[in-house]
Amino acid sequence: MANTLVEMFRMKDIRKRILFTFAILAVTRVGAILPIPGINPGVVLSYFETNSNSFTEYLNFFSGGAFANFSIFMLGVMPYISTQIIMQLLMLVIPSLKKLAQDPQGSKKVQQYTRYGAIVVSAIQSLAASVYASSIPGAIAIGRVPFTIVAMITVTAGSMTMVWLGEKITDKGVGNGISLLIFAGIVARIPSASYQMVRSIQLGVLNPVSLIVVIVMFFFVVALVVYEEKGQRKIPVQYSRRVVGRRMYGSQSSYIPFKINPSGVIPVIFASTLLSFPLQLGYNSNIGWLRAVADFLNPQGAPYLIIYTLLIIAFAFFYTQVSLNPIEMAKNIRDNGGSIPGVRNEKLEEYLTKVLNRIVLPGAVFLAFIALIPTLIQMFFNFPASVAMLFGGTSLIILVGVDLETMRQLDGMMKMHHHDGFVDAKKRRLKKF
């Protein structure tokens, strides 16, 4: 694999894409430490060092520590993801919107609507963040009204800049840009979380034996996530002879690969982002019912865990139905003269739907279980919140999922240049160093 890495950097276009991706990620990390104009960074830093809680750690987890810095990128890409969820749900309710999204030109309009919606969501969340800042004694260095206006403009612009940078990575870099920004934020938390873990052991807050147990669990869960991400069921498809123009094509066999988890990390990101929205609006709010909602959705409470689990399962089914539509798949099979052995043609939709549901349900339950690991670690092993989230399931699913997807893309690019990629074609697994 070492030779593969060397060959990869020798290819000019791949090298440019990789360096471009790293450059954009470096820009986002700089933006994560630049404070909002009018904020007192020292006061905010001291406040979060002594008043850290599950809510702030939860938001820091997805922003790479930018929230605790009250930086221009403090919201990250969460408003954009929240708007994407809303648009996907609206497509189920409004058939004309779904039809518009299926058209190549219409999809650009839907994407534009999503960006406009993300601006609105960013403005609302930045307003909530400014209210939260005003509750910290001495955090605001200017008047409250000017600070609120400046914060809303700056944070909204920062969030949309993050979205733009993510799209640039997708177009000119390597991997999915939005997912890589979240990936980079989680990786950026590793040094501080490791330091906090060592300090907790020195102060006697954390038992070293518990740490060893959690580390063993960590590697076990990583292996499970990789196994689950690569697992698939192959549906055999037989194509009969057909005439195209003046040429006759003989019968051939193929298969449809159904992954155990077709939606990847999307359900976890969607569920986490959706639940973070009411938390941001309600935490330290003066509005009674918003504060009650935020208290009800305490990340360590039973209601939050139940809703979180149900949302992950629901989004897994929803995203699978959108990306792998059994009706369209059955239509394509019939149009190309194909059939599934042992299944009548008029029953193809029913059969594919049945197989998908049987695959997606255990995959979604597995995702939900992995995502609950941070809370279990905090409850049973007394781990600090930042360390528990780093060792926990959500971070592992995102890290492993994004890493595998990026490596697949690099593998495809290298094979286009007639080079061996990261995957051993014979053994169908990653090459060893």
Side-chain angles (χ1 to χ4, degrees):
M1 189 170 181
N3 292 333
T4 303
L5 292 173
V6 173
E7 291 295 330
M8 180 180 66
F9 276 94
R10 285 178 179 173
M11 302 175 199
K12 184 178 179 180
D13 57 335
I14 297 180
R15 183 174 67 249
K16 286 176 65 177
R17 283 180 170 270
I18 293 174
L19 294 178
F20 180 82
T21 302
F22 280 122
I24 295 296
L25 294 179
V27 170
T28 61
R29 296 318 308 157
V30 172
I33 59 176
L34 291 177
I36 301 171
I39 202 77
N40 192 328
V43 173
V44 171
L45 181 63
S46 301
Y47 175 82
F48 282 116
E49 284 179 352
T50 56
N51 296 276
S52 180
N53 52 58
S54 57
F55 167 74
T56 55
E57 290 298 338
Y58 181 83
L59 296 178
N60 270 329
F61 172 74
F62 284 101
S63 62
F67 183 83
N69 294 330
F70 267 85
S71 71
I72 58 175
F73 289 164
M74 67 181 299
L75 295 181
V77 293
M78 289 190 292
Y80 181 73
I81 297 176
S82 299
T83 310
Q84 279 188 320
I85 298 170
I86 295 171
M87 291 298 295
Q88 293 286 349
L89 294 176
L90 286 176
M91 287 181 192
L92 295 178
V93 181
I94 307 173
S96 59
L97 185 61
K98 182 178 180 181
K99 186 177 180 181
L100 182 66
Q102 292 172 345
D103 181 73
Q105 294 298 324
S107 62
K108 294 181 180 179
K109 290 185 178 180
V110 173
Q111 185 70 15
Q112 196 68 26
Y113 297 155
T114 305
R115 293 192 184 97
Y116 292 148
I119 294 175
V120 175
V121 174
S122 297
I124 296 172
Q125 289 186 316
S126 60
L127 174 61
S130 65
V131 173
Y132 182 39
S134 64
S135 67
I136 302 175
I140 301 177
I142 58 177
R144 182 169 179 177
V145 174
F147 173 77
T148 301
I149 296 173
V150 170
M152 289 182 66
I153 295 173
T154 306
V155 174
T156 301
S159 181
M160 297 311 297
T161 301
M162 287 279 285
V163 173
W164 180 76
L165 292 174
E167 291 176 348
K168 287 299 179 183
I169 290 177
T170 303
D171 293 338
K172 300 181 180 181
V174 179
N176 182 287
I178 300 297
S179 299
L180 274 174
L181 293 180
I182 299 174
F183 176 94
I186 296 173
V187 172
R189 297 287 292 164
I190 293 178
S192 61
S194 301
Y195 173 76
Q196 189 173 359
M197 182 174 59
V198 172
R199 288 289 299 163
S200 298
I201 294 175
Q202 292 176 344
L203 296 173
V205 177
L206 186 62
N207 191 333
V209 177
S210 300
L211 176 62
I212 295 173
V213 172
V214 170
I215 290 175
V216 173
M217 288 174 55
F218 173 82
F219 286 106
F220 178 71
V221 172
V222 168
L224 281 179
V225 171
V226 173
Y227 183 78
E228 189 259 354
E229 284 288 329
K230 297 176 72 66
Q232 62 181 12
R233 177 176 174 179
K234 299 178 180 179
I235 306 297
V237 180
Q238 184 72 34
Y239 292 97
S240 59
R241 291 185 179 182
R242 54 184 178 143
V243 178
V244 179
R246 295 184 178 182
R247 300 185 63 180
M248 176 177 285
Y249 293 86
S251 61
Q252 57 180 350
S253 298
S254 183
Y255 65 88
I256 303 173
F258 281 164
K259 292 181 64 177
I260 297 176
N261 178 26
S263 53
V265 300
I266 298 298
V268 177
I269 295 176
F270 274 18
S272 301
T273 306
L274 191 63
L275 285 176
S276 70
F277 187 66
L279 282 173
Q280 275 189 309
L281 293 180
Y283 192 77
N284 276 358
S285 173
N286 295 325
I287 304 175
W289 66 272
L290 276 178
R291 183 71 176 268
V293 170
D295 293 339
F296 179 75
L297 292 176
N298 179 9
Q300 293 186 0
Y304 174 88
L305 298 179
I306 293 172
I307 296 173
Y308 188 38
T309 302
L310 294 176
L311 282 176
I312 290 175
I313 296 174
F315 279 127
F317 274 94
F318 169 74
Y319 191 83
T320 301
Q321 290 298 322
V322 172
S323 59
L324 299 174
N325 192 324
I327 298 176
E328 293 181 1
M329 293 175 67
K331 182 178 181 297
N332 290 334
I333 292 174
R334 281 194 290 263
D335 290 346
N336 289 283
S339 63
I340 297 177
V343 181
R344 297 169 61 182
N345 273 357
E346 61 269 19
K347 296 288 186 179
L348 283 179
E349 294 91 342
E350 182 181 341
Y351 174 76
L352 292 174
T353 301
K354 184 179 179 181
V355 172
L356 269 178
N357 289 338
R358 286 184 173 180
I359 292 175
V360 173
L361 180 59
V365 172
F366 174 81
L367 272 180
F369 170 74
I370 297 297
L372 294 178
I373 288 180
T375 304
L376 300 178
I377 291 177
Q378 285 181 262
M379 292 173 60
F380 294 106
F381 297 101
N382 198 29
F383 265 58
S386 61
V387 180
M389 287 185 177
L390 184 63
F391 275 98
T394 304
S395 61
L396 291 183
I397 293 170
I398 295 173
L399 291 175
V400 173
V402 174
D403 181 57
L404 289 175
E405 185 60 34
T406 305
M407 291 188 71
R408 287 192 197 103
Q409 186 172 333
L410 284 171
D411 186 71
M413 290 179 182
M414 294 187 68
K415 288 180 178 177
M416 287 177 63
H417 289 76
H418 307 289
H419 284 269
D420 291 334
F422 293 97
V423 180
D424 191 322
K426 294 182 179 180
K427 298 183 179 179
R428 294 185 179 276
R429 65 184 182 186
L430 294 176
K431 293 178 181 179
K432 297 180 179 179
F433 282 98

